[in-house]
Coordinates of all heavy atoms in Angstrom, one line a residue:
M37 N 79.1 80.1 105.6 CA 78.7 81.1 104.5 C 78.9 82.5 105.1 O 78.5 82.8 106.2 CB 77.3 80.8 104.1 CG 76.8 81.7 103.0 SD 77.4 81.0 101.5 CE 76.8 82.1 100.3
N38 N 79.4 83.4 104.3 CA 79.6 84.8 104.7 C 78.3 85.6 104.7 O 77.5 85.4 103.9 CB 80.6 85.5 103.8 CG 82.0 85.1 104.0 OD1 82.3 84.5 105.0 ND2 82.9 85.4 103.0
A39 N 78.2 86.5 105.6 CA 77.2 87.5 105.5 C 77.5 88.4 104.3 O 78.6 88.6 104.0 CB 77.1 88.3 106.8
P40 N 76.5 89.1 103.8 CA 76.7 90.0 102.6 C 77.7 91.1 103.1 O 77.7 91.6 104.2 CB 75.4 90.6 102.4 CG 74.4 89.6 102.9 CD 75.1 89.0 104.1
G41 N 78.7 91.4 102.2 CA 79.6 92.4 102.4 C 80.8 92.0 103.3 O 81.5 92.9 103.9
T42 N 81.0 90.7 103.5 CA 82.1 90.3 104.3 C 83.0 89.3 103.5 O 82.6 88.7 102.5 CB 81.6 89.5 105.6 OG1 80.9 88.4 105.2 CG2 80.7 90.4 106.4
I43 N 84.2 89.1 104.0 CA 85.1 88.0 103.6 C 85.4 87.2 104.8 O 85.2 87.6 105.9 CB 86.4 88.5 103.0 CG1 87.2 89.3 104.0 CG2 86.1 89.3 101.7 CD1 88.6 89.7 103.5
T44 N 85.8 85.9 104.5 CA 86.3 85.1 105.6 C 87.8 85.0 105.6 O 88.4 84.8 104.5 CB 85.7 83.6 105.4 OG1 84.3 83.7 105.5 CG2 86.2 82.7 106.5
V45 N 88.4 85.3 106.7 CA 89.8 85.3 106.9 C 90.1 84.0 107.6 O 89.6 83.8 108.7 CB 90.4 86.5 107.6 CG1 91.9 86.4 107.7 CG2 90.0 87.8 106.9
L46 N 91.0 83.1 107.0 CA 91.4 81.9 107.6 C 92.9 82.0 108.1 O 93.7 82.5 107.3 CB 91.3 80.7 106.6 CG 89.9 80.5 106.0 CD1 90.0 79.4 105.0 CD2 88.9 80.1 107.1
Y47 N 93.1 81.6 109.3 CA 94.5 81.6 109.8 C 95.0 80.2 110.0 O 94.3 79.4 110.5 CB 94.5 82.3 111.2 CG 94.0 83.7 111.2 CD1 92.7 84.0 111.6 CD2 94.8 84.8 110.7 CE1 92.3 85.3 111.7 CE2 94.3 86.1 110.7 CZ 93.1 86.4 111.2 OH 92.6 87.6 111.2
F48 N 96.3 80.0 109.5 CA 96.9 78.7 109.6 C 98.1 78.7 110.4 O 98.8 79.7 110.6 CB 97.2 78.2 108.2 CG 95.9 77.8 107.4 CD1 95.3 78.8 106.6 CD2 95.4 76.6 107.5 CE1 94.1 78.5 106.0 CE2 94.2 76.3 106.8 CZ 93.6 77.2 106.1
A49 N 98.5 77.5 111.0 CA 99.7 77.2 111.7 C 100.0 78.2 112.8 O 99.2 78.4 113.7 CB 100.9 77.1 110.7
K50 N 101.1 78.9 112.7 CA 101.6 79.8 113.8 C 100.6 81.0 113.9 O 100.3 81.4 115.1 CB 102.9 80.4 113.3 CG 103.5 81.5 114.2 CD 104.8 82.0 113.6 CE 105.3 83.3 114.2 NZ 106.5 83.7 113.6
F51 N 100.0 81.4 112.9 CA 99.0 82.5 113.0 C 97.8 82.1 113.8 O 97.3 82.8 114.7 CB 98.5 83.0 111.6 CG 99.6 83.6 110.7 CD1 99.4 83.7 109.4 CD2 100.7 84.1 111.3 CE1 100.3 84.3 108.6 CE2 101.7 84.7 110.5 CZ 101.5 84.8 109.1
R52 N 97.3 80.9 113.5 CA 96.1 80.4 114.3 C 96.5 80.2 115.7 O 95.7 80.6 116.6 CB 95.7 79.0 113.7 CG 94.5 78.4 114.4 CD 94.1 77.0 113.8 NE 95.2 76.1 113.9 CZ 95.7 75.4 112.9 NH1 95.1 75.5 111.7 NH2 96.7 74.6 113.0
E53 N 97.7 79.7 116.0 CA 98.1 79.4 117.4 C 98.3 80.8 118.2 O 97.8 80.9 119.3 CB 99.4 78.6 117.4 CG 99.2 77.2 116.9 CD 100.6 76.6 116.5 OE1 101.6 77.1 116.9 OE2 100.5 75.5 115.9
Q54 N 98.9 81.7 117.5 CA 99.2 82.9 118.3 C 98.1 83.9 118.3 O 98.0 84.7 119.3 CB 100.5 83.6 117.7 CG 101.7 82.7 117.9 CD 103.0 83.5 117.6 OE1 103.0 84.6 117.3 NE2 104.1 82.7 117.7
L55 N 97.2 83.9 117.4 CA 96.0 84.8 117.4 C 94.8 84.1 118.2 O 93.9 84.8 118.5 CB 95.6 85.2 116.0 CG 96.6 86.0 115.2 CD1 96.2 86.2 113.8 CD2 96.9 87.3 115.9
G56 N 94.9 82.8 118.4 CA 93.9 82.1 119.2 C 92.6 81.9 118.4 O 91.5 81.7 119.0
C57 N 92.6 82.0 117.1 CA 91.4 81.7 116.3 C 91.8 81.1 114.9 O 92.9 81.4 114.5 CB 90.5 82.9 116.2 SG 91.1 84.2 115.2
S58 N 90.9 80.3 114.3 CA 91.2 79.8 113.0 C 90.6 80.5 111.9 O 91.0 80.4 110.7 CB 90.8 78.3 113.0 OG 89.4 78.2 113.1
Q59 N 89.5 81.3 112.2 CA 88.9 82.1 111.1 C 88.0 83.2 111.7 O 87.7 83.2 112.9 CB 88.0 81.2 110.2 CG 86.8 80.7 110.9 CD 86.0 79.8 109.9 OE1 86.6 79.2 109.0 NE2 84.7 79.8 110.0
E60 N 87.7 84.2 110.9 CA 86.8 85.3 111.3 C 86.2 85.8 110.1 O 86.7 85.8 109.0 CB 87.6 86.3 112.1 CG 88.6 87.1 111.3 CD 89.2 88.2 112.1 OE1 88.5 89.2 112.5 OE2 90.4 88.2 112.3
A61 N 85.0 86.4 110.3 CA 84.3 87.2 109.2 C 84.8 88.6 109.4 O 84.7 89.2 110.4 CB 82.8 87.0 109.4
L62 N 85.2 89.2 108.2 CA 85.6 90.6 108.3 C 84.8 91.4 107.3 O 84.7 91.1 106.1 CB 87.1 90.6 107.8 CG 87.8 91.9 107.9 CD1 88.0 92.3 109.3 CD2 89.2 91.8 107.2
P63 N 84.1 92.4 107.8 CA 83.3 93.3 107.0 C 84.1 94.1 106.0 O 85.2 94.6 106.4 CB 82.5 94.2 107.9 CG 83.1 94.0 109.3 CD 84.0 92.8 109.2
L64 N 83.7 94.2 104.8 CA 84.4 95.1 103.8 C 83.8 96.5 103.9 O 82.6 96.6 104.1 CB 84.2 94.5 102.4 CG 84.8 93.2 102.2 CD1 84.5 92.7 100.8 CD2 86.3 93.2 102.4
P65 N 84.6 97.5 103.6 CA 84.0 98.9 103.5 C 83.0 98.9 102.4 O 83.1 98.4 101.3 CB 85.2 99.7 103.1 CG 86.4 98.9 103.5 CD 86.0 97.5 103.3
A66 N 81.8 99.5 102.7 CA 80.7 99.6 101.8 C 81.1 100.4 100.6 O 81.6 101.5 100.7 CB 79.5 100.2 102.5
G67 N 80.7 99.8 99.4 CA 80.9 100.5 98.2 C 82.3 100.7 97.7 O 82.5 101.6 96.8
S68 N 83.3 100.0 98.2 CA 84.7 100.2 97.8 C 85.3 98.9 97.6 O 84.9 97.9 98.2 CB 85.4 101.1 98.8 OG 85.6 100.5 100.0
S69 N 86.4 98.9 96.8 CA 87.1 97.6 96.7 C 88.3 97.7 97.7 O 88.7 98.7 98.1 CB 87.7 97.5 95.2 OG 88.5 98.6 94.9
V70 N 88.8 96.5 98.0 CA 89.9 96.4 99.0 C 90.8 95.3 98.5 O 90.4 94.3 97.9 CB 89.3 96.1 100.4 CG1 88.6 94.8 100.5 CG2 90.4 96.2 101.4
T71 N 92.1 95.6 98.6 CA 93.1 94.6 98.2 C 93.5 93.7 99.4 O 93.3 94.1 100.6 CB 94.4 95.3 97.6 OG1 95.0 96.0 98.7 CG2 94.0 96.1 96.4
V72 N 94.2 92.6 99.1 CA 94.7 91.8 100.2 C 95.7 92.6 101.1 O 95.6 92.5 102.3 CB 95.5 90.6 99.6 CG1 96.3 89.8 100.6 CG2 94.5 89.6 98.9
Q73 N 96.5 93.5 100.5 CA 97.4 94.3 101.2 C 96.6 95.2 102.2 O 97.0 95.4 103.3 CB 98.3 95.2 100.3 CG 99.1 96.2 101.0 CD 100.1 95.5 102.0 OE1 100.7 94.5 101.7 NE2 100.3 96.1 103.2
E74 N 95.5 95.8 101.8 CA 94.8 96.6 102.6 C 94.1 95.9 103.8 O 94.1 96.4 104.9 CB 93.7 97.4 101.8 CG 94.3 98.4 100.9 CD 93.3 98.9 99.8 OE1 92.4 98.2 99.4 OE2 93.5 100.1 99.4
V75 N 93.7 94.6 103.5 CA 93.2 93.8 104.6 C 94.3 93.5 105.6 O 94.1 93.5 106.8 CB 92.5 92.5 104.0 CG1 92.2 91.5 105.2 CG2 91.2 92.9 103.3
L76 N 95.4 93.1 105.1 CA 96.6 92.8 106.0 C 96.9 94.0 106.8 O 97.2 93.9 108.0 CB 97.8 92.4 105.2 CG 97.7 91.0 104.6 CD1 98.9 90.8 103.7 CD2 97.6 89.9 105.6
A77 N 96.9 95.2 106.2 CA 97.1 96.5 107.0 C 96.1 96.7 108.1 O 96.4 97.1 109.2 CB 97.2 97.6 106.0
M78 N 94.8 96.4 107.7 CA 93.7 96.6 108.7 C 93.9 95.6 109.9 O 93.8 96.0 111.0 CB 92.4 96.3 108.1 CG 91.9 97.4 107.2 SD 90.2 97.2 106.6 CE 90.2 95.7 105.7
L79 N 94.3 94.4 109.6 CA 94.5 93.4 110.6 C 95.7 93.7 111.4 O 95.7 93.6 112.7 CB 94.6 92.0 110.0 CG 93.4 91.5 109.3 CD1 93.7 90.2 108.5 CD2 92.2 91.2 110.3
A80 N 96.8 94.1 110.8 CA 98.0 94.5 111.5 C 97.8 95.6 112.5 O 98.5 95.7 113.5 CB 99.1 94.7 110.5
A81 N 96.9 96.6 112.1 CA 96.7 97.7 112.9 C 95.9 97.5 114.2 O 95.8 98.3 115.1 CB 96.0 98.8 112.1
R82 N 95.3 96.3 114.3 CA 94.4 96.0 115.4 C 95.2 96.0 116.8 O 94.7 96.6 117.7 CB 93.9 94.5 115.3 CG 92.8 94.4 114.3 CD 92.2 93.0 114.3 NE 91.0 93.0 113.6 CZ 90.4 91.8 113.3 NH1 90.9 90.7 113.7 NH2 89.3 91.8 112.6
D83 N 96.3 95.4 116.8 CA 97.1 95.4 118.1 C 98.5 94.9 117.8 O 98.8 94.5 116.6 CB 96.4 94.5 119.1 CG 96.2 93.0 118.7 OD1 97.1 92.4 118.0 OD2 95.1 92.5 118.9
E84 N 99.3 94.9 118.8 CA 100.8 94.5 118.6 C 100.9 93.1 118.1 O 101.8 92.9 117.2 CB 101.5 94.7 119.9 CG 103.0 94.5 119.8 CD 103.7 94.8 121.1 OE1 103.2 95.6 121.9 OE2 104.8 94.2 121.3
R85 N 100.2 92.2 118.6 CA 100.3 90.8 118.2 C 100.0 90.6 116.7 O 100.7 90.0 115.9 CB 99.4 89.9 119.0 CG 99.6 88.4 118.7 CD 98.8 87.6 119.7 NE 97.6 88.2 120.1 CZ 96.7 87.7 120.9 NH1 96.8 86.5 121.3 NH2 95.6 88.4 121.3
H86 N 98.9 91.2 116.2 CA 98.5 91.2 114.8 C 99.6 91.8 114.0 O 100.0 91.4 112.9 CB 97.2 91.8 114.5 CG 96.0 91.0 114.9 ND1 95.5 90.9 116.1 CD2 95.2 90.2 114.1 CE1 94.4 90.1 116.1 NE2 94.2 89.7 114.9
G87 N 100.1 93.0 114.4 CA 101.1 93.7 113.7 C 102.4 92.9 113.6 O 103.0 92.9 112.5
E88 N 102.8 92.2 114.6 CA 104.0 91.4 114.5 C 103.9 90.3 113.5 O 104.8 89.9 112.8 CB 104.4 90.8 115.9 CG 104.9 91.8 116.9 CD 105.1 91.3 118.3 OE1 104.9 90.1 118.5 OE2 105.4 92.1 119.2
L89 N 102.7 89.7 113.5 CA 102.5 88.5 112.6 C 102.2 88.9 111.2 O 102.6 88.2 110.2 CB 101.4 87.6 113.2 CG 101.6 87.0 114.5 CD1 100.3 86.3 115.0 CD2 102.7 86.0 114.4
L90 N 101.4 90.0 111.0 CA 100.9 90.3 109.7 C 101.4 91.6 109.0 O 100.9 92.0 108.0 CB 99.3 90.3 109.7 CG 98.7 89.0 110.3 CD1 97.2 89.2 110.5 CD2 99.0 87.9 109.4
G91 N 102.3 92.3 109.7 CA 102.8 93.5 109.2 C 103.3 93.4 107.8 O 103.7 92.3 107.3
C92 N 103.4 94.6 107.1 CA 103.8 94.6 105.7 C 105.2 94.0 105.4 O 105.4 93.6 104.2 CB 103.6 96.0 105.1 SG 104.7 97.2 105.8
D93 N 106.0 94.0 106.3 CA 107.4 93.5 106.1 C 107.5 92.0 106.4 O 108.6 91.4 106.3 CB 108.4 94.3 106.8 CG 108.2 94.2 108.4 OD1 107.1 93.9 108.8 OD2 109.2 94.4 109.1
R94 N 106.4 91.4 106.7 CA 106.4 89.9 107.0 C 106.2 89.1 105.7 O 105.5 89.6 104.8 CB 105.3 89.6 108.0 CG 105.4 90.4 109.3 CD 106.7 90.0 110.0 NE 106.7 90.7 111.3 CZ 107.8 91.0 112.0 NH1 109.0 90.6 111.5 NH2 107.8 91.6 113.1
G95 N 106.7 87.9 105.7 CA 106.6 87.1 104.5 C 105.3 86.2 104.6 O 105.3 85.0 104.5
V96 N 104.2 86.9 104.7 CA 102.9 86.2 104.8 C 102.5 85.6 103.4 O 102.7 86.3 102.4 CB 101.8 87.2 105.2 CG1 100.4 86.5 105.2 CG2 102.1 87.8 106.5
L97 N 102.1 84.4 103.4 CA 101.6 83.8 102.1 C 100.1 83.9 102.1 O 99.5 83.7 103.2 CB 102.1 82.3 102.1 CG 103.6 82.1 102.1 CD1 103.9 80.6 102.1 CD2 104.2 82.7 100.8
M98 N 99.5 84.1 101.0 CA 98.1 84.4 100.9 C 97.4 83.6 99.8 O 98.0 83.5 98.7 CB 97.9 85.9 100.6 CG 98.5 86.8 101.7 SD 99.3 88.3 101.0 CE 100.5 87.6 99.8
A99 N 96.2 83.2 100.0 CA 95.4 82.5 99.0 C 94.0 83.1 99.1 O 93.5 83.3 100.2 CB 95.4 81.0 99.2
V100 N 93.4 83.3 97.9 CA 92.0 83.7 97.8 C 91.3 82.7 97.1 O 91.6 82.3 96.0 CB 91.9 85.1 97.1 CG1 90.4 85.4 96.9 CG2 92.6 86.2 97.9
N101 N 90.3 82.1 97.8 CA 89.4 81.1 97.2 C 90.3 79.9 96.8 O 90.1 79.4 95.7 CB 88.5 81.6 96.1 CG 87.6 82.7 96.6 OD1 87.2 82.7 97.8 ND2 87.3 83.7 95.8
Q102 N 91.3 79.6 97.6 CA 92.2 78.4 97.4 C 93.2 78.6 96.3 O 93.8 77.6 95.8 CB 91.4 77.1 97.3 CG 90.5 76.9 98.5 CD 89.7 75.6 98.5 OE1 89.9 74.8 97.5 NE2 88.9 75.4 99.4
A103 N 93.5 79.8 95.8 CA 94.5 80.0 94.8 C 95.5 81.1 95.4 O 95.1 82.1 95.9 CB 93.9 80.6 93.5
M104 N 96.8 80.8 95.3 CA 97.8 81.7 95.8 C 97.7 83.0 95.0 O 97.5 83.0 93.8 CB 99.2 81.1 95.7 CG 99.4 79.8 96.4 SD 98.9 79.9 98.2 CE 100.3 80.9 98.8
V105 N 97.8 84.1 95.8 CA 97.7 85.5 95.2 C 98.8 86.4 95.7 O 99.5 86.1 96.7 CB 96.3 86.1 95.5 CG1 95.2 85.3 94.9 CG2 96.2 86.3 97.0
Q106 N 98.9 87.5 95.1 CA 99.8 88.6 95.5 C 99.0 89.6 96.3 O 97.8 89.6 96.3 CB 100.4 89.3 94.3 CG 101.3 88.4 93.4 CD 102.5 87.8 94.2 OE1 103.2 88.6 94.9 NE2 102.7 86.5 94.0
R107 N 99.7 90.5 96.9 CA 99.1 91.5 97.8 C 98.1 92.5 97.1 O 97.3 93.1 97.7 CB 100.1 92.3 98.6 CG 100.8 91.4 99.6 CD 102.0 92.2 100.3 NE 102.6 91.3 101.2 CZ 102.5 91.4 102.5 NH1 101.7 92.3 103.0 NH2 103.1 90.6 103.3
D108 N 98.3 92.6 95.8 CA 97.5 93.6 95.0 C 96.1 93.0 94.5 O 95.3 93.6 93.9 CB 98.2 94.1 93.8 CG 98.7 93.1 92.8 OD1 98.5 91.9 93.0 OD2 99.2 93.5 91.7
R109 N 95.9 91.7 94.9 CA 94.6 91.1 94.5 C 93.4 91.8 95.1 O 93.4 92.0 96.4 CB 94.7 89.6 94.9 CG 93.4 88.8 94.8 CD 92.9 88.6 93.4 NE 92.1 87.4 93.2 CZ 90.9 87.2 93.7 NH1 90.3 88.1 94.4 NH2 90.3 86.1 93.4
V110 N 92.4 92.1 94.4 CA 91.2 92.8 94.9 C 90.3 91.8 95.4 O 90.0 90.7 94.7 CB 90.6 93.7 93.8 CG1 89.3 94.3 94.3 CG2 91.5 94.8 93.3
L111 N 89.7 92.0 96.6 CA 88.8 91.1 97.2 C 87.4 91.5 96.9 O 87.1 92.7 96.9 CB 89.1 91.0 98.7 CG 90.5 90.5 99.1 CD1 90.8 90.7 100.5 CD2 90.5 89.0 98.7
Q112 N 86.5 90.5 96.9 CA 85.1 90.7 96.7 C 84.3 90.1 97.9 O 84.8 89.2 98.5 CB 84.6 90.0 95.4 CG 85.3 90.4 94.2 CD 85.1 91.9 93.8 OE1 84.0 92.4 93.9 NE2 86.2 92.5 93.3
A113 N 83.2 90.6 98.1 CA 82.3 90.1 99.2 C 82.2 88.6 98.9 O 82.0 88.2 97.8 CB 81.0 90.7 99.3
G114 N 82.3 87.8 100.0 CA 82.1 86.3 99.9 C 83.5 85.6 99.7 O 83.5 84.4 99.8
D115 N 84.5 86.3 99.4 CA 85.8 85.7 99.2 C 86.3 85.1 100.5 O 86.0 85.5 101.6 CB 86.9 86.7 98.7 CG 86.8 86.9 97.2 OD1 86.1 86.2 96.5 OD2 87.4 87.9 96.7
E116 N 87.2 84.1 100.3 CA 87.9 83.5 101.5 C 89.4 83.8 101.3 O 90.0 83.4 100.3 CB 87.7 81.9 101.4 CG 88.4 81.2 102.5 CD 88.2 79.7 102.2 OE1 87.2 79.1 102.8 OE2 89.0 79.1 101.5
L117 N 89.9 84.5 102.3 CA 91.3 84.9 102.3 C 92.1 84.0 103.4 O 91.7 84.1 104.5 CB 91.5 86.3 102.7 CG 92.9 86.8 102.9 CD1 93.8 86.7 101.7 CD2 92.9 88.3 103.4
A118 N 93.0 83.2 102.9 CA 93.7 82.3 103.8 C 95.1 82.9 104.0 O 95.8 83.3 103.0 CB 93.8 80.9 103.2
L119 N 95.6 82.9 105.2 CA 96.9 83.5 105.6 C 97.8 82.4 106.2 O 97.4 81.8 107.1 CB 96.7 84.7 106.5 CG 95.8 85.8 106.0 CD1 95.6 86.9 107.1 CD2 96.4 86.4 104.7
F120 N 99.0 82.3 105.6 CA 99.9 81.3 106.0 C 101.2 81.9 106.4 O 101.6 82.9 105.8 CB 100.2 80.3 104.9 CG 99.0 79.6 104.3 CD1 98.4 80.2 103.2 CD2 98.6 78.4 104.8 CE1 97.3 79.6 102.6 CE2 97.5 77.8 104.2 CZ 96.8 78.4 103.1
P121 N 101.9 81.5 107.5 CA 103.2 82.0 107.8 C 104.2 81.6 106.8 O 104.0 80.7 106.0 CB 103.5 81.4 109.2 CG 102.7 80.1 109.2 CD 101.5 80.4 108.4
P122 N 105.3 82.3 106.8 CA 106.4 81.9 105.8 C 106.8 80.5 106.0 O 106.8 80.0 107.1 CB 107.6 82.9 106.2 CG 107.0 83.9 107.1 CD 105.7 83.4 107.7
V123 N 107.1 79.8 104.9 CA 107.5 78.4 105.0 C 109.0 78.4 105.2 O 109.8 79.1 104.5 CB 107.2 77.7 103.6 CG1 107.7 76.3 103.6 CG2 105.7 77.8 103.4
T124 N 109.4 77.5 106.1 CA 110.8 77.3 106.4 C 111.2 75.9 106.2 O 110.3 75.0 106.3 CB 111.2 77.8 107.8 OG1 110.5 77.0 108.7 CG2 111.0 79.2 108.0
G125 N 112.3 75.6 105.8 CA 112.7 74.2 105.6 C 114.0 73.9 106.3 O 114.7 74.8 106.8
G126 N 114.4 72.7 106.2 CA 115.6 72.3 106.9 C 116.3 71.1 106.2 O 115.9 70.6 105.3

């Protein structure tokens, strides 16, 4: 369960392996709305590894509360944001 004013970010596959964690609680800015794109930008700005994986030109797939979304989706406290690497096939 999230603390008030936070979202849970879930990392899958390559993201989980390269970032070394499967999830984290991320505090939201008080009194403001934030989009998935803004969360990705905050995460990408942390360090080079996050930037390489989650930067805006990457094909990150996103789901909020288990429904696929676009980057303009507004997040609310208590939401679960799941991040998946691009899907490749063969």
Side-chain angles (χ1 to χ4, degrees):
M37 185 78 180
N38 284 345
T42 65
I43 61 169
T44 299
V45 180
L46 304 175
Y47 300 104
F48 289 91
K50 173 183 169 180
F51 295 161
R52 179 181 60 231
E53 294 165 10
Q54 292 191 8
L55 295 174
C57 68
S58 62
Q59 70 179 31
E60 66 175 299
L62 186 67
L64 294 176
S68 65
S69 61
V70 63
T71 64
V72 169
Q73 175 59 42
E74 291 167 328
V75 169
L76 288 173
M78 286 189 300
L79 294 171
R82 283 183 170 171
D83 56 45
E84 186 176 333
R85 185 173 30 176
H86 280 83
E88 288 175 5
L89 295 171
L90 304 173
C92 64
D93 62 335
R94 303 294 183 204
V96 178
L97 300 175
M98 303 138 303
V100 173
N101 302 328
Q102 301 180 5
M104 299 306 288
V105 297
Q106 299 296 315
R107 291 175 180 257
D108 61 353
R109 169 67 151 70
V110 175
L111 297 167
Q112 304 295 322
D115 281 346
E116 177 184 271
L117 172 62
L119 302 176
F120 305 89
V123 177
T124 59

